[in-house]
Amino acid sequence: MSDTVDEAAADEQAPDDEAPDLVYGAPRTEVRGQQVIHPRRDEWRRTALELLNDGWNMCMDVTAVDYGTYGPGRDLPTGVDPERFEVVVSLLSYERRERLRVRIQVPEDDPTVDSLYAVYPGTDFLEREVFDLFGITFSGHPDLSRILMPETWEGHPLRKDYSTGAIPVQFKAPSQ
Amino acid sequence: MGLVEVQNHGFEGLDHNVMTAPLEKLVNWSRARSSWPASFGLACCAIEMMATGGSHYDIARLGMEVFRASPRQADVMIVAGRVSQKMAPVLRQIYDQMMEPKWVISMGVCASSGGMFNNYAIVQGVDQIVPVDVYAPGCPPGPETLLHAITTLHAKIESGELLRRRSETGAGANIMVEQRDGQGMSQMVTIGQSS
Amino acid sequence: MTVTDQESTMDNTTVDTGLAEGKGQLHLLPRRDAVLRMSEVAAAAAIDGELLPEENDQTMIVNMGPVHPSTHGVLRLMLELDGETVRRSKPIIGYLHTGMEKTGESLTYLQGPTNVTRMDYASPLFNELVFSMAVEELLGLELPPRAVWIRTLMCELNRISSHLLSMATGGMDIGAVSMMIYGWREREQVLRFFQKVTGLRMNHNYIRPGGVAADLPDDWEADLTALMDMLPPRLEEYDVLMTGQPIWRDRLQGVGVISQQEAIALSATGPVLRSTGVSWDLRRDMPYLVYDELEFDVLVGSYGDAFDRYAIRLNEIRESIRIVRQIIEKMPLGDYRIQDAKVTPPPRARIDESMEALIHHFKLFTEGFKVPEGEVYVAVESPRGELGCYLVSDGGPKPYRMHIRGPSFVNLQVMPHMMADGFLADAVAVIASVDPVLGEVDR
């Protein structure tokens, strides 16, 4: 583990234009003053433990985005392939008073990610909500069932191929 | 007409005649002035309903400050807030558990028509589930609007209009509409029918 | 996925979480089996009287809610009772799910606050604030000082009204029914001020991207000073009615205790976290708006019980009064919204005079303004905890993805741990002390 930290420190001090900026073993970008890292899906559990041990003690949010109909290109570092789904985790460190965002690419044909429940037990409900609304399963979660929709509901409402379900009314919205 | 009919049907068992008319008026008068609401506060409208119960707007002067938790003891169900798909069967169950005579005030636009949430998750108007007597618009309706709705309901109770209309038409507006859910299927639904 | 597949993995003590014991934070929870893992189908069977494998002669599974006078909204709890003691519990939510995040994707950024404000309906201005801050972060806007100060003022007043509501309903749940009347008496005065400024008592749509919707009325200082002078004696009445009263103390002290490690592991924020002794408040530790120019204290409890949470809320009202008094003195003059024609609509009077103003108004209210691509997460300290907004934009006039991190949603996870091995009557006290608002739980 210390090797990775030294490597990351060295990378941050002397950034090479060609080598990726690695933090906790994952490429890093900075978006509007906020740090974002992009670990690979199969390294996620290891990275999460490393983050916890390095002082990122609270997991504030776990959510997902369906980039299926996203027009412009995504702001991803080199070496990270865009997939349809992204699981976005937001972490907070008390000592540093900073936030860190983690974006994990999740492919459409295998929407599975490791669960954070054992590392941050506060992700219990948050991961269930992502499963309910997007259909991404979290392996290792003790009770992955629907939380917002009725348990017998079919479909995952926040996916882009699920319509809003609006009843047509006489007065239409402006840009339809 | 006999004693048995009165015992089975209450006042409906008695024909209207000059002897019972003042009695009916008395009954309607008392029903209007002490109709107890069933607490069905769901969302933001519930906060305004609580404000109406507070001392500034004071729903107690209308006899309604006791929000009964048990539907068996309630007369009016004020559906205050948006009704989601998961909540709809619960709403119907509470309505069924209330004893006759019962009335429903649909408070707020979400309860009346789905409000600003025209989507897969919200029932577009509780009159698809229960027959509604008074609709109170607003998002949320201020306490004055709710009090206006309540006094409208009381006026209708006192005149006996609502119970008469129900026995004739089976209650409600009986409007046919095509309802879609988020999964692309649609079905014809009659709004404002009680069963 | 059928429901029966889930039942085999319902026992969280034997599931393979993929980590050895001792790593991660799961081992920090002493009562991690306090959560009743049961599907809703099984719960329905339990209510119908069939005996479940979890039940034995000793325990009984009881349903509380969703229509219940004391569950603070449509919260449903499945409780496993051993006599009068709650062993395990499971909060079941979703009864108010409105699909607001999906609706948010079809509304423009100017319409966004009307949608978002109805999530946490007890403190609507905070939702509008966090959404507007996220949009402004993506746009790269710098607001005029008066707009920022007005936002701070309205948010602190909303904190006062939200805590009054929480104490009113909490008091009524515990049994001090007159607290309901007292709390609403004060809250009406704050709502009256809101109506004067924003036009509405609730769900104001006042804080919009670019500033606020309208300036403060001319006599706002006199109104607010009168309000701030009226409140402290009333708060002392609450001290007499509740804080010093033996029955109130007995019902709340020692009830719903959690430790610091549990609260941090379960991602609790707000009064729930501060009652355990963790001094974390976004207003002071990661300041936003003008909180770094204001003097206020952060209230921290020591026992992590329900009484601490109640006391924190009561004294946060006092701190908010202090903040509002400072704002009254320091409020700068200037614009109440940014004068950027691409974002803020022109004043209505100009529409008659200028063709440009008319076109801008038309474009802004029909198509909406375009926000550059990107993603951002912004958080504020709402009365319930950290309220965050994660916004993804694709360069168009509507958000591509809008997610609100509701503090009550995450705080609900703490409830089974608080209720374990307590009495059934304490369950009501626990819910009142966590103070969930189901609108932001279910969104």
Side-chain angles (χ1 to χ4, degrees):
Chain A
M1 290 297 146
S2 58
D3 285 345
T4 325
V5 172
D6 287 344
E7 183 185 25
D11 272 348
E12 282 180 276
Q13 284 161 14
D16 194 353
D17 281 330
E18 295 180 355
D21 191 3
L22 284 180
V23 166
Y24 307 106
R28 180 184 88 108
T29 54
E30 203 170 297
V31 179
R32 289 176 174 80
Q34 298 178 345
Q35 259 201 97
V36 185
I37 62 172
H38 305 257
R40 288 212 332 252
R41 193 163 58 117
D42 43 6
E43 293 178 348
W44 173 220
R45 186 159 273 156
R46 182 194 66 81
T47 314
L49 271 174
E50 214 183 314
L51 288 166
L52 174 66
N53 292 332
D54 197 34
W56 298 97
N57 53 348
M58 278 196 91
C59 174
M60 299 316 283
D61 195 18
V62 175
T63 183
V65 189
D66 177 356
Y67 279 102
T69 61
Y70 195 71
R74 276 189 264 170
D75 177 26
L76 294 175
T78 51
V80 180
D81 297 319
E83 303 277 1
R84 178 179 174 188
F85 294 115
E86 253 187 42
V87 169
V88 181
V89 179
S90 192
L91 299 171
L92 177 68
S93 162
Y94 281 173
E95 302 151 41
R96 296 182 184 84
R97 297 182 179 202
E98 269 177 26
R99 294 187 191 277
L100 179 72
R101 198 150 64 240
V102 180
R103 288 170 63 175
I104 308 160
Q105 307 293 325
V106 177
E108 186 176 350
D109 46 7
D110 176 30
T112 317
V113 185
D114 287 334
S115 165
L116 280 180
Y117 178 72
V119 182
Y120 297 103
T123 54
D124 186 353
F125 277 18
L126 292 162
E127 289 181 347
R128 280 178 70 188
E129 182 194 345
V130 172
F131 164 69
D132 188 359
L133 298 175
F134 283 93
I136 298 174
T137 43
F138 291 85
S139 55
H141 192 279
D143 171 19
L144 200 66
S145 56
R146 287 189 181 268
I147 189 170
L148 294 179
M149 305 307 296
E151 267 192 5
T152 50
W153 195 264
E154 309 226 343
H156 299 282
L158 274 179
R159 289 192 175 188
K160 288 293 178 182
D161 47 5
Y162 193 98
S163 78
T164 319
I167 296 180
V169 291
Q170 186 174 2
F171 301 103
K172 286 203 274 193
S175 49
Q176 256 173 3
Chain B
M1 166 164 97
L3 216 51
V4 175
E5 268 189 28
V6 175
Q7 280 168 350
N8 284 343
H9 301 293
F11 281 111
E12 286 95 58
L14 295 170
D15 295 335
H16 288 283
N17 59 26
V18 70
M19 309 274 280
T20 61
L23 203 53
E24 271 182 42
K25 275 212 175 116
L26 180 66
V27 166
N28 285 339
W29 179 90
S30 63
R31 273 177 185 164
R33 275 158 185 68
S34 82
S35 48
W36 289 352
S39 57
F40 211 82
L42 297 167
C44 348
C45 285
I47 311 284
E48 289 293 53
M49 191 166 69
M50 287 193 252
T52 316
S55 51
H56 191 84
Y57 292 99
D58 196 17
I59 211 176
R61 55 197 159 110
L62 302 171
M64 291 174 78
E65 82 277 11
V66 273
F67 281 83
R68 306 312 287 183
S70 162
R72 298 281 190 206
Q73 299 166 2
D75 303 308
V76 185
M77 184 164 76
I78 304 182
V79 184
R82 43 198 192 245
V83 179
S84 71
Q85 301 286 348
K86 211 166 170 180
M87 194 66 188
V90 179
L91 172 66
R92 183 69 210 188
Q93 195 176 15
I94 299 288
Y95 179 76
D96 288 337
Q97 285 176 348
M98 285 165 69
M99 312 288 298
E100 288 282 354
K102 53 190 174 185
W103 299 278
V104 175
I105 295 180
S106 156
M107 178 183 177
V109 291
C110 289
S112 307
S113 71
M116 66 174 280
F117 302 113
N118 187 0
N119 57 23
Y120 64 90
I122 292 292
V123 174
Q124 301 292 301
V126 297
D127 46 13
Q128 304 202 0
I129 307 172
V130 295
V132 175
D133 296 303
V134 177
Y135 298 84
C139 193
E144 289 112 341
T145 309
L146 181 60
L147 286 173
H148 183 54
I150 288 173
T151 45
T152 310
L153 180 68
H154 285 181
K156 288 186 189 289
I157 295 175
E158 206 168 337
S159 69
E161 174 188 340
L162 286 175
L163 289 181
R164 265 200 299 279
R165 195 199 307 154
R166 272 201 206 153
S167 61
E168 287 160 19
T169 64
N174 286 319
I175 302 173
M176 293 281 287
V177 80
E178 182 189 351
Q179 178 193 330
R180 297 186 190 175
D181 54 22
Q183 296 152 41
M185 299 175 291
S186 70
Q187 54 177 10
M188 297 302 291
V189 166
T190 306
I191 293 179
Q193 235 185 11
S194 83
S195 52
Chain C
M1 183 178 295
T2 59
V3 173
T4 48
D5 286 342
Q6 292 298 314
E7 285 174 339
S8 57
T9 57
M10 282 289 168
D11 181 4
N12 55 344
T13 54
T14 58
V15 73
D16 173 26
T17 52
L19 287 178
E21 277 294 323
K23 289 194 170 187
Q25 296 183 79
L26 193 56
H27 66 285
L28 296 174
L29 304 179
R31 291 165 300 200
R32 88 188 80 145
D33 58 344
V35 189
L36 175 66
R37 305 278 183 199
M38 194 165 77
S39 72
E40 288 176 32
V41 172
I47 295 163
D48 283 340
E50 300 169 25
L51 202 60
L52 295 176
E54 288 100 357
E55 284 183 315
N56 47 34
D57 281 336
Q58 304 294 343
T59 64
M60 183 171 69
I61 295 194
V62 160
N63 177 51
M64 185 170 157
V67 180
H68 188 100
S70 301
T71 49
H72 275 247
V74 283
L75 171 66
R76 179 176 168 197
L77 286 172
M78 299 298 299
L79 302 165
E80 187 184 38
L81 291 177
D82 178 5
E84 192 74 15
T85 315
V86 177
R87 293 277 170 230
R88 300 187 290 170
S89 54
K90 172 176 176 170
I92 300 180
I93 56 180
Y95 289 94
L96 202 55
H97 177 63
T98 317
M100 281 171 165
E101 299 189 347
K102 186 87 179 177
T103 304
E105 293 171 14
S106 54
L107 294 175
T108 67
Y109 286 100
L110 202 53
Q111 295 167 318
T114 58
N115 181 30
V116 171
T117 194
R118 286 162 172 81
M119 288 186 184
D120 178 359
Y121 43 80
S123 49
L125 287 166
F126 286 93
N127 308 319
E128 299 169 17
L129 175 70
V130 75
F131 180 79
S132 302
M133 278 170 69
V135 174
E136 285 152 14
E137 188 76 29
L138 281 177
L139 280 169
L141 290 183
E142 173 98 24
L143 293 186
R146 186 174 168 92
V148 184
W149 279 85
I150 293 180
R151 284 182 172 187
T152 318
L153 171 69
M154 299 301 279
C155 284
E156 284 306 313
L157 285 172
N158 211 170
R159 191 183 305 273
I160 294 176
S161 71
S162 170
H163 281 322
L164 282 170
L165 171 66
S166 125
M167 291 197 313
T169 49
M172 186 173 76
D173 290 342
I174 307 288
V177 182
S178 43
M179 185 57 212
M180 186 73 167
I181 306 293
Y182 291 161
W184 277 99
R185 180 186 60 184
E186 272 69 72
R187 194 180 138 94
E188 285 291 332
Q189 305 303 323
V190 181
L191 292 186
R192 183 171 299 167
F193 183 75
F194 280 153
Q195 188 170 21
K196 203 165 185 183
V197 175
T198 73
L200 280 178
R201 291 157 53 96
M202 277 176 62
N203 298 342
H204 319 271
N205 189 22
Y206 180 66
I207 297 182
R208 304 182 186 182
V212 292
D215 206 348
L216 297 172
D218 292 330
D219 50 355
W220 69 273
E221 280 146 332
D223 278 342
L224 269 189
T225 316
L227 184 60
M228 293 300 120
D229 288 337
M230 181 215 43
L231 276 174
R234 307 279 174 96
L235 294 179
E236 285 177 22
E237 275 182 33
Y238 302 162
D239 275 332
V240 167
L241 180 63
M242 293 187 290
T243 317
Q245 210 220 68
I247 300 179
W248 182 262
R249 284 177 170 255
D250 279 343
R251 279 224 55 187
L252 289 187
Q253 282 177 336
V255 165
V257 180
I258 48 166
S259 66
Q260 288 192 16
Q261 298 160 317
E262 273 183 282
I264 293 178
L266 290 166
S267 305
T269 50
V272 175
L273 176 68
R274 289 197 283 280
S275 72
T276 64
V278 177
S279 169
W280 178 259
D281 186 331
L282 281 178
R283 296 178 292 169
R284 179 200 59 191
D285 296 318
M286 296 178 71
Y288 55 96
L289 294 180
V290 287
Y291 285 108
D292 43 2
E293 297 177 41
L294 294 167
E295 245 185 65
F296 61 98
D297 293 325
V298 171
L299 284 319
V300 168
S302 14
Y303 298 102
D305 62 2
F307 188 79
D308 272 346
R309 290 187 277 276
Y310 150 77
I312 287 177
R313 291 197 179 98
L314 180 62
N315 289 300
E316 274 188 6
I317 300 182
R318 294 192 166 114
E319 290 302 317
S320 292
I321 294 175
R322 199 172 142 196
I323 294 177
V324 170
R325 284 199 210 272
Q326 291 174 54
I327 297 179
I328 296 176
E329 289 170 32
K330 295 185 182 176
M331 172 74 76
L333 298 170
D335 288 325
Y336 59 92
R337 58 187 180 189
I338 194 173
Q339 298 297 334
D340 182 349
K342 299 292 176 226
V343 171
T344 33
R348 294 298 300 245
R350 289 215 60 217
I351 295 179
D352 297 331
E353 304 161 3
S354 151
M355 188 48 142
E356 256 185 14
L358 181 63
I359 296 175
H360 269 136
H361 181 270
F362 182 75
K363 293 285 285 181
L364 280 174
F365 279 97
T366 52
E367 187 194 338
F369 55 85
K370 294 193 165 63
V371 167
E373 307 159 16
E375 38 127 35
V376 72
Y377 177 80
V378 172
V380 301
E381 181 83 18
S382 95
R384 274 151 207 92
E386 168 168 332
L387 175 65
C389 177
Y390 178 66
L391 197 60
V392 177
S393 163
D394 60 349
K398 301 182 182 177
Y400 185 78
R401 167 91 172 106
M402 178 204 65
H403 169 76
I404 297 280
R405 185 248 186 224
S408 302
F409 183 62
V410 185
N411 288 351
L412 268 190
Q413 297 171 127
V414 191
M415 263 180 16
H417 299 266
M418 284 184 187
M419 285 201 255
D421 299 330
F423 288 134
L424 181 58
D426 292 338
V428 174
V430 163
I431 302 173
S433 72
V434 168
D435 188 29
V437 168
L438 270 298
E440 74 178 349
V441 168
D442 290 337
R443 277 163 279 121

